Amino acid sequence: MLDVGRETAETLARLLREHRERLGTRKNTRALGVFKQGVLILWWFVDGARLAQLARDNQISVPTAYRYLHEGLTVLADRAPDLSTALERAAAAGYTHLNLDGAVIRTDRVAAAGPNGADLWWSGKHTHHGGNVQVISAPDGWPIWVSPVRPGLSGLLAGHRRQIGSRWRRLTCGRQAMLVLAHLRCGDTYARLAAGFRVGIATVYRYIREAVDLLAARAPTLGQAMTTVRKKSYVILDGTVLPIDRIAADQPYYSGKKKHHGMNVQVLADPAGRLIWVSDALPGAVHDLTAARTHGIPATLAADDIKCRADKAYQGAGPAVRVPFRGKGLRGWHRRHNRDHARIRSLGERAMATLKCWRLLRKLRCSTTRITAVVRAVIALELAT
């Protein structure tokens, strides 16, 4: 049974009937009527049925099923609004804001070379082939516009190249995207990437810096992240020190707790442990409480009356940040409170594990002035899924 309302099938049938009338198709000259053709299209959409199965069920040939399907797709696609129309409708509806998000739609593409010799449809982050689509939705989450499909991260790079008028590059957008993801996800060095992609080390540096800056610009600020935070019953605040390749002379970057040099970043996660926001990087010697205050996290949470769970390092952060009781040998309800608090806060470790799945963040060897951009690029990629 098709899990679609009959009115949906009837609407699609009406559109197909109008399309046939425009073409001048005579009655009883098609193997299927408009309603059955609409059901065939909806079945393909909802269940992902194969064309051979659809052809067999409707007693038509596979080529006929293929033509009917793509005819319906064309009819529906022609009615989709363009970006300017969608924004005009949003303004007329009086929306206070719109939501923008992206996703990689999985495809069954093979590792075939694109027009410039690159496998443009391969997503290095998701490790499968897919097309990148951008979606603008209303405040209630209802989509109002969907972009044309672009191949993975390369769509963002292609748009940037057009904007700056770039005419020729050693690597295509798809190859540059693969290079950047290999650096971020696998932690491959510039020399190794230069050898693998047959370009110079300086070229690798420029390509990575360009892509990281583009991704970092898409990462949410704390104010933007509050839109997501307000929809949660509470959030989890935690901090970590990302190791860096610094010498002992750089005192501000040495973490006495971790016993190594690093950069302090603060992380907000939802109750399920999914990343919401990551702060700018501060020197490793900065305490978590000081870092949180520097970024304005306690004040922002208190202003919106948002509950937050954190560990003992955030004692005194404010009424919005709930922490466990300090001391040993706690008994009674103090001990139960700490046990329940730890059970809730432990899910925040998932966010840390997700962040450190990007191997570059396990040992950063770049300049400390670039670490914030790298972290923001990673969070932009994570939130894009």
Side-chain angles (χ1 to χ4, degrees), residues 360-378:
L360 182 67
L361 300 183
R362 300 179 187 178
K363 184 68 173 181
L364 288 159
R365 294 178 173 85
C366 60
S367 171
T368 55
T369 60
R370 294 292 302 164
I371 293 178
T372 293
V374 171
V375 173
R376 289 178 64 83
V378 169

Side-chain angles (χ1 to χ4, degrees), residues 49-91:
R50 293 181 175 274
L51 286 177
Q53 181 66 41
L54 294 173
R56 186 163 51 250
D57 292 343
N58 290 276
Q59 298 180 354
I60 57 177
S61 64
V62 174
T64 301
Y66 179 87
R67 290 196 302 270
Y68 282 0
L69 172 62
H70 284 269
E71 181 183 45
L73 294 178
T74 302
V75 170
L76 290 172
D78 289 342
R79 296 181 62 84
D82 57 16
L83 180 57
S84 59
T85 302
L87 295 179
E88 290 174 359
R89 293 177 180 176

Side-chain angles (χ1 to χ4, degrees), residues 219-240:
T221 63
L222 181 58
Q224 294 169 340
M226 284 298 108
T227 303
T228 302
V229 170
R230 294 185 190 100
K231 301 176 183 178
K232 310 297 181 180
S233 56
Y234 63 90
V235 292
I236 301 172
L237 171 63
D238 203 356
T240 187

Side-chain angles (χ1 to χ4, degrees), residues 149-366:
V149 178
R150 296 304 301 265
L153 173 61
S154 61
L156 180 62
L157 295 171
H160 174 70
R161 290 187 183 185
R162 285 195 304 270
Q163 183 179 5
I164 64 176
S166 180
R167 293 179 295 176
W168 180 85
R169 294 287 187 97
R170 290 294 302 274
L171 296 182
T172 63
C173 295
R175 297 276 289 174
Q176 182 181 356
M178 293 175 64
L179 182 149
V180 173
L181 290 172
H183 177 66
L184 295 177
R185 189 71 175 184
C186 303
D188 290 341
T189 62
Y190 291 164
R192 185 173 182 178
L193 292 170
F197 286 85
R198 298 182 180 180
V199 294
I201 294 179
T203 302
V204 171
Y205 173 82
R206 290 196 304 270
Y207 280 179
I208 291 176
R209 188 184 183 95
E210 178 184 52
V212 166
D213 288 341
L214 286 173
L215 290 170
R218 298 170 68 89
T221 63
L222 181 58
Q224 294 169 340
M226 284 298 108
T227 303
T228 302
V229 170
R230 294 185 190 100
K231 301 176 183 178
K232 310 297 181 180
S233 56
Y234 63 90
V235 292
I236 301 172
L237 171 63
D238 203 356
T240 187
V241 176
L242 303 176
I244 62 174
D245 190 16
R246 306 295 294 187
I247 58 176
D250 298 318
Q251 294 298 328
Y253 299 99
Y254 185 78
S255 171
K257 176 182 177 181
K258 300 293 184 179
K259 307 300 182 184
H260 61 70
H261 292 80
M263 299 292 288
N264 183 299
V265 294
Q266 301 296 302
V267 176
L268 284 178
D270 66 7
R274 293 183 291 264
L275 284 168
I276 297 178
W277 174 79
V278 177
S279 72
D280 295 345
L282 295 176
V286 177
H287 192 272
D288 282 340
L289 178 57
T290 303
R293 287 173 173 169
T294 301
H295 299 304
I297 300 173
T300 303
L301 295 174
D304 290 338
D305 194 22
I306 298 172
K307 298 178 181 179
C308 177
R309 307 282 181 166
D311 58 25
K312 297 178 181 178
Y314 297 91
Q315 289 277 355
V321 182
R322 299 186 178 183
V323 296
F325 291 103
R326 304 186 69 173
K328 298 181 180 180
L330 297 176
R331 296 185 178 182
W333 71 273
H334 291 84
R335 184 174 182 177
R336 291 193 300 272
H337 174 272
N338 281 11
R339 183 175 62 248
D340 295 339
H341 185 278
R343 185 182 297 113
I344 295 172
R345 195 188 60 81
S346 63
L347 296 176
E349 298 300 328
R350 294 182 181 177
M352 292 300 181
T354 300
L355 196 63
K356 294 181 180 179
C357 281
W358 298 81
R359 295 186 180 180
L360 182 67
L361 300 183
R362 300 179 187 178
K363 184 68 173 181
L364 288 159
R365 294 178 173 85
C366 60

